[in-house]
Amino acid sequence: MTSDSDQRRVTAGSPFSVAIHGADTLPPAQLAAVAAIEASCFDHPWGASGLGATLASSEAKMALLLAEPAQAVAAYCLYQRILDEIEIFQLATAPSQQRQGLGRRLLDAVLARAAGEGCQAAFLEVRRSNLAACALYTGAGFAAAGVRRSYYPV
């Protein structure tokens, strides 16, 4: 477990900031907001308990894109650093905030932080049918490394 908590404005004058939390610094209200976004974006959500367990049982971090001034969660990214790599477990934007580039802002912030910590590679999994996510990741420089056939539930 880590007590890593960091909050930075995305760009000067931006109405959004990014906060990075470990298991012991993520406020329960923000975990609940993440779980609500997750439930609205994924067919098989982990739920607040699954998200919290992932944070507690690993070196995972939760990056939040927070709308100022209310600090409302607009998007989140759950990821884990392993040596000089990060694995992105989940990235989602609140449905009311989608198609505004917020997911990309958050992804860029997570990748910049990882690079600043010495990470040289980032990995993730995405359903091929999730065209919006595929476009986001391709636009951020990700490339397919393989396909897990019949892996995701239908």
Side-chain angles (χ1 to χ4, degrees):
M1 242 193 285
T2 179
S3 57
D4 183 25
S5 181
D6 182 16
Q7 187 163 340
R8 300 178 191 160
R9 188 156 310 281
V10 175
T11 57
S14 171
F16 297 97
S17 61
V18 174
I20 308 289
H21 291 284
D24 57 344
T25 64
L26 182 63
Q30 289 182 335
L31 178 59
V34 166
I37 293 170
E38 181 200 35
S40 68
C41 293
F42 294 106
D43 292 335
H44 303 280
W46 297 358
S49 61
L51 294 166
T54 299
L55 279 171
S57 67
S58 66
E59 291 298 315
K61 302 284 185 221
M62 181 74 74
L64 304 176
L65 186 68
L66 302 170
E68 304 288 344
Q71 298 287 295
V73 179
Y76 75 93
C77 180
L78 178 62
Y79 68 97
Q80 176 176 316
R81 179 177 170 198
I82 303 170
L83 301 174
D84 64 347
E85 302 173 350
I86 65 164
E87 181 177 1
I88 296 172
F89 298 130
Q90 291 187 7
L91 185 138
T93 302
S96 64
Q97 302 283 336
Q98 291 176 355
R99 305 279 186 224
Q100 298 177 42
L102 301 182
R104 178 62 188 261
R105 283 189 195 184
L106 184 57
L107 178 61
D108 287 348
V110 167
L111 295 174
R113 178 185 171 103
E117 293 176 350
C119 289
Q120 299 178 21
F123 298 92
L124 56 85
E125 293 185 7
V126 62
R127 286 179 190 241
R128 289 186 290 178
S129 62
N130 188 342
L131 300 179
C134 290
L136 169 70
Y137 298 130
T138 299
F142 285 84
V147 175
R148 292 183 191 235
R149 299 197 189 286
S150 302
Y151 177 73
Y152 291 101
V154 235

